[in-house]
Every structure is written in structure tokens, then in C-alpha cells.
Amino acid sequence: MGDCRDNNTNATQTADVQLRSGDLVMSDFDGTVTLVDTGLAVFEALKLAKAWYWEDLWRAGEIDSMRCLTEQWALVKLPPEELLELIDSLALDECFPEFVRRARAAGAQVVIVSDGLDFYLDRMLERLGFVICAGDPQPDDDSCLARFVNHAALTDEGIEISFPHRNEDCDLCGNCKTAHLERLRGSYQRIIYIGDGYSDKCAAEHADVVFAKHNLARLLAERDVPYLSFESFDDIIKATLE
Ligand SMILES: [Mg+2]
Ligand SMILES: [Zn+2]
């Protein structure tokens, strides 16, 4: 694991976003805990330009993320071992574990919500030192990190994707982050949402405090939804825990 603190920058100092007991932090994974979106990094590395055709249709709201993910990952013909090797080469935000540790010490809970795939998400979180657990975060259990994500099985014939958290009320998501937020809201006083992209937009609009970067920041700005900027979890530590 690398050094969490090295080269950082523009922390947003705001006293009233200090994490405390009763807070639930919901974080996106791709492009948020990872430095770049894992799927797009894989498609880029394999020069699968067609993946952008599906990405753009999904971003435009013309297809749902289930169709998008299924079509994109069907383009990947690598043997499982080589795909995992590629996944292991992708950079992660080394400050995320420190953020989780300190957020919990402050009394907050943390959950990952991802419309990506578990085969790489679990592996990358394990690389950061986490034990993964399924289901809602448990207030008295810091031994594992709860996450909601789509399922993928790597087979020699290809990647088989399924959507265990599919919500019938949402026609855009495989794993609807807003549905998780609304379900969990009653158990917490405040929801802090962290994300970077299109799949975060709806949930971010339902949260009490939002940290946004990249496309999510632009999408929220276009809709006059307030958010705090961040580049890495080091910024979020400085804003919420110091
Ligand atoms: Mg993302
Ligand atoms: Zn949704």
C-alpha cells in the first residue's frame, strides 16, 4: 500500500460537514475509490472503442446500465487470469482506508454503492486491506466493509453479469444507489454522498451533503445542486474529520 498523504491540494474546510455519530457515508467506487473508472480503464487498455458507443447511449439515458454493462463487458475476451492482472495494475486512492477508519472512529458508518461489478470491486477493496460484507452496514461491526454492487462471474466463455439488487422502480440502474439511500435513510440522521459520475447523480440529489468531482460535479452544477469539491479521500478527510 502506498502513502496516503503526499501531494494534496484543495481541501474544502467546512465546519458543519464534520462526521459524527448518526452519519452514513455512501461512496461510489469506480473513479472515486479507484483513480479511474475500472471498466473504462479496461476497455481503454484493450482498445475496445465500441465500449464508448454503449457508454454514450447510457449517459444519454437511452439504455439502462444493465444493457450498457452487459454489452461492454461482452467485448472483453481476455482469459480470467489476464483480466485480473490488468485489474491489479489499476491505481486506487490510498487514503480511502484511512478515511474509513477515522470516519468510524468519529461514529459514522460507511457503505460502498456501485453500479460496477463485484469481481474487481471486491478484489480492489481487499487490496486496500478490507474484508468485504454483503448487506447493510452494521453499526457495531467495523470488521468488514459493506458494499452493494452487481455480480459478475468470470468464466472461460466470458463474463456473466447479474443484478442481485435490481430495483423495479428504477429504469436506469442495475444497482440503484437512490433505492439504497432511501432504504437506509430512516436509520441515520444524515447521509453524506461521495461520487464522480453519471450513476451518482440521482442519489447525490437525495443526500444531505455531497462530495463530487468530474462528471458528477458538472451534472450537479448544471442543476444547481450544492456540492463540495474533492479530488481524493485526503481532501474528504481534511473536510470532514479534521
Ligand atoms: Mg464512479
Ligand atoms: Zn436508479
Side-chain angles (χ1 to χ4, degrees):
M1 231 183 289
D3 184 12
C4 161
R5 289 287 159 96
D6 37 19
N7 51 5
N8 262 306
T9 53
N10 54 340
T12 316
Q13 291 291 352
T14 313
D16 62 3
V17 298
Q18 287 292 301
L19 290 183
R20 55 183 184 247
S21 179
D23 284 343
L24 175 65
V25 177
M26 304 188 79
S27 178
D28 172 50
F29 183 76
D30 284 301
T32 300
V33 177
T34 67
L35 299 193
V36 291
D37 183 283
T38 307
L40 294 179
V42 168
F43 310 142
E44 176 84 22
L46 302 178
K47 301 190 166 48
L48 301 172
K50 181 82 197 248
W52 274 102
Y53 167 78
W54 299 109
E55 186 76 14
D56 289 339
L57 283 181
W58 169 65
R59 290 184 181 187
E62 290 174 36
I63 58 171
D64 62 31
S65 69
M66 294 179 285
R67 175 89 193 276
C68 181
L69 285 167
T70 303
E71 297 284 2
Q72 287 178 321
W73 287 95
L75 300 168
V76 175
K77 306 296 185 194
L78 277 190
E81 322 75 68
E82 288 178 39
L83 178 55
L84 294 176
E85 216 170 286
L86 175 50
I87 296 295
D88 290 344
S89 75
L90 300 175
L92 307 175
D93 186 332
E94 304 285 348
C95 289
F96 182 64
E98 182 180 335
F99 169 73
V100 173
R101 185 177 56 73
R102 291 175 63 175
R104 286 170 165 173
Q109 298 292 310
V110 181
V111 63
I112 299 268
V113 284
S114 169
D115 211 0
L117 302 176
D118 61 357
F119 87 87
Y120 64 75
L121 181 146
D122 288 356
R123 188 178 178 94
M124 293 164 117
L125 285 175
E126 282 163 11
R127 177 151 51 110
L128 286 174
F130 291 101
V131 173
I132 304 305
C133 45
D136 290 341
Q138 299 301 318
D140 298 323
D141 185 4
D142 286 354
S143 67
C144 64
L145 182 63
R147 96 293 187 249
F148 293 98
V149 61
N150 303 309
H151 178 60
L154 302 189
T155 76
D156 289 331
E157 286 71 50
I159 300 163
E160 289 168 14
I161 301 177
S162 58
F163 300 94
H165 306 295
R166 174 86 190 106
N167 180 296
E168 297 301 328
D169 295 334
C170 171
D171 57 9
L172 281 178
C173 313
N175 180 28
C176 184
K177 300 177 182 194
T178 307
H180 293 298
L181 188 153
E182 291 302 330
R183 185 189 66 252
L184 290 164
R185 173 175 284 290
S187 305
Y188 296 88
Q189 282 155 22
R190 201 167 58 154
I191 308 269
I192 291 91
Y193 193 89
I194 304 169
D196 78 316
Y198 282 73
S199 73
D200 304 305
K201 181 173 67 94
C202 179
E205 289 183 20
H206 288 77
D208 301 299
V209 175
V210 181
F211 285 90
K213 65 177 171 177
H214 301 159
N215 285 319
L216 179 61
R218 179 176 52 75
L219 291 164
L220 294 178
E222 283 169 9
R223 301 164 74 93
D224 290 324
V225 177
Y227 66 90
L228 299 164
S229 296
F230 78 103
E231 277 304 314
S232 83
F233 274 92
D234 190 24
D235 297 332
I236 300 178
I237 290 170
K238 287 176 180 146
T240 64
L241 291 159
E242 290 182 355

